[in-house]
Each structure stands twice: as structure tokens, then as C-alpha cells.
Amino acid sequence: MTSVITGDIINSTKHSNPNVWLTSLKQALEQVSSNTNNWEIFRGDSFQIEISDINQSFISAVYIKACIKMIKGLDVRMAIGFGHKTFNGNTVTESNGSAFQDSGNLLEILKQSKTNLKLKGIPNIDNELNLYLKLIGILMDNWSVNSAEIVKLHLENENKIQKELAKIIGISQDAVSKRMKRAYLDEILEVNEMLISKIAQSKIIE
């Protein structure tokens, strides 16, 4: 089993210089997977990344979103597909299988429904999980630049306490705590743990 995130940048055409967001997107994808064969940017503002550890798929999507939301006015739409990989291409976009197909097809549906995050491929509980993603997605869609920054920083430094994070970005520990609350970071991490548990219960890995 594997997982695939297919996404595109929202409002990318409003920036005359694509490097404004392209650099951040590349850095985000490299952080999620240092193996560049696992991800690709295409059509200018679209991307696809394979995440073989399916338990990392949601939190990886959160990280990518945080990186892009740090650029004022931009957001990202992502579809997560779970399933088999039946063909291993030279690039991720050449690979095939249910995870790749579901992710790509789902992204087209998201564009029509104006939804920014959804998954497909967890037997019998797709609808339940997507309700959680819809609710937490509303909160993430409304992140400020500061909220996105603190989520990105936490995910890059999961073992560091608030005091240490405060030193990295030059603010007080109290300010870090407030930003985390405004970003609903605890709730996002709870949803991540719930998704991991639900995936395990669904026996998708078998």
C-alpha cells in the first residue's frame, strides 16, 4: 500500500513571479521526501508526491499547506489517494495504481466543489474521515501567515519545546503558545492521530 498527494496552488496566477511560491513548494516537497523521484511539479502550479508511509500522508499535507500559506494570498488544494502501486515509473507522474488514479481524479472533483482537502481509498470510512478533514480544513484555510509559520516550525522541530521554538523565530514563549492555539495545532494533531488509528482499524495495509 502507498499514498499519493496530488495538489495545485490556489491563486498562483495572481503572482507575476512564480518563484514567490515555487521555491517554498519545492522546499516543502523536499522536506516531506528527500528522494526527488517521489515528487514532481508539473503544469507550473500542480504537483504530485508519493508517501509510502501512509500514516504520514495527512500530516505531510498539513506541512505542505503551512509552507504555502506562509505566502500571503496563496493556498493549496490537495487530494490524498490510498491504494496499491501497480507500476513504478521513472517519475512519480509516470507511476500508476489505485492510489495515483484516485488522487488525480479526486483533485478534479475538489476544483469543482471548491474544497481544499479530501481523501479516497480507505474502505468503508472515506465519508467519515472526509467529514473530519472538511472541518479541520476550514480552520486551516483561515490560517494567518503567523499561524502557518508556527505549524511549519513545529512540524520541522517536533522534539523542541515552545521555549526553543520561540528562540528560533525571535518571539516570546507566550507568543508561540498563542499562535499555536490560533492555528488549532492541538486539534490538527488529534485529527492526525485519529486518522492513523482509523487506517489501522480498516486493515488497509493488508
Side-chain angles (χ1 to χ4, degrees), residues 59-73:
I59 207 65
S60 295
V62 171
Y63 179 77
I64 294 169
K65 188 178 184 75
C67 292
I68 298 302
K69 291 282 285 182
M70 283 182 63
I71 306 169
K72 192 172 183 179

Side-chain angles (χ1 to χ4, degrees), residues 8 14 25 40 45 53 58 64 79 84 102 124 127 130 158 160 169 172 180 184:
D8 58 10
K14 293 184 178 180
L25 177 59
E40 186 174 356
D45 61 356
D53 182 353
F58 169 70
I64 294 169
H84 293 286
D102 285 346
N124 304 317
N127 290 338
N130 278 320
E158 293 182 350
K160 284 184 168 58
I169 53 177
S172 68
M180 286 181 168
Y184 297 94

